[in-house]
Amino acid sequence: MGQGMGPIHMNEVQCVGQEKSIWNCPFKNITSEDCQHMEDAAVRCNTPYMALENSIRITGGRTRYEGRVEVLDTASNGTQSWGLICGEGWGTMEGMVVCQQLGLGYVNHGMQETWYWDSSNVTDMILSGVKCTGNEMSLSHCQHHKTVSCQKAAAKFAAGVICSETASDLVLNAPLVQQSVYIEDRPLHMLYCAAEEDCLSQSASKANWPYGHRRLLRFSSQIHNIGRADFRPKAGRHSWVWHACHGHYHSMDIFTHYDLLNANGSKVAEGHKASFCLEDTECHEGVSKRYECANFGEQGITVGCWDLYRHDIDCQWIDITDIKPGNYILQVVINPNFEVAESDFTNNAMKCNCKYDGHRIWLHHCHVGDSFSEEAEKRFEKYPGQLNNQIS
């Protein structure tokens, strides 16, 4: 299931099975004995059999892992028939639910057109407006229109999926963001490339170029693939975009969102949508690099490797020139549009408490996804700001 990240709290846990919490089980303190992430414990939970796979099927694909999605409809008189799902708005999250419901692992692609899988005599659209969070046990648990409303009602525009037994799983190294953050006042004459790639806020266009500067919140991003499949861009080489300023191809238009939020969750700094060139910067011991950006190389992140974007490279920042001193939340979201399928999207967002006094900046409590308890998350959201710069 891949290696975890961050601190390791417990070792040699011995439960009898009756404990209400794993903390009630005897264990060794991790400081007394060395333990590596390659030894991380994992569980596979048993879901009670609910016959959920009997109400859905995929047809027409080359293998049992792909095809047009068909759902079983029960009429008021009790008769049952198969029908199609409108492909409008269909995507990764909806496909994820279908693949899990059928026991076919993870979604690889959610398809909005399926004319190439036209082998079934089922032609009626019986479901539209399907919206899932990805955690539902059945497609019937997702939101959908009460009555079918589909502009493209032909069978070739029905929803489909490609499933896979394995998937990638990206996660940001939160402690590194906290350790590497700083402010830089960068002269405008050094930011022409960045302006060309929309890495500055809109007010930069009204600046007196090349005089003056922009205030930048800089930090490093180290993105690990802890899944069971390589993370590969959805777009093929033919559609990659060449960036002359930086001298490489970008394989994804939007790979991360960098945002500064106020306490209400509203954006106060214009969110920078970063497009990246994906490669293996470093890997765990025994894992070989497979992807590099140089010479129009293949792009991606190998399982057990990470892609490092250092704090000192272009666009690795948020433009905070127009931000007033105060308490904020720094948020980084990887793969925000779910453009590439992953086994887990809950760990794609990282948040930090941020204190800015107009001259300096401090980050606190940087954490990924749901790694905080509910109580700790509430404390995080009510963070009043740092009182001093002393290390406690």
Side-chain angles (χ1 to χ4, degrees), residues 350-383:
M350 184 222 68
K351 294 188 293 185
C352 304
N353 285 132
C354 179
K355 168 75 173 179
Y356 175 49
D357 69 358
H359 307 284
R360 298 163 295 177
I361 203 151
W362 298 274
L363 293 188
H364 301 274
H365 308 128
C366 290
H367 66 288
V368 169
D370 55 359
S371 58
F372 275 12
S373 67
E374 194 174 336
E375 291 142 23
E377 193 66 43
K378 284 177 182 174
R379 287 198 301 274
F380 170 88
E381 290 169 355
K382 292 177 181 175
Y383 173 64

Side-chain angles (χ1 to χ4, degrees), residues 201-204 214-215 268-270 319-325 328 356:
S201 60
Q202 283 187 351
S203 63
R214 303 299 293 180
R215 176 156 289 187
V268 291
E270 286 178 34
D319 185 348
I320 62 168
T321 306
D322 308 318
I323 302 303
K324 296 176 181 177
Y328 301 100
Y356 175 49

Side-chain angles (χ1 to χ4, degrees), residues 220-231:
S220 295
S221 290
Q222 189 181 79
I223 299 161
H224 292 243
N225 183 358
I226 62 172
R228 295 174 58 209
D230 293 356
F231 184 93

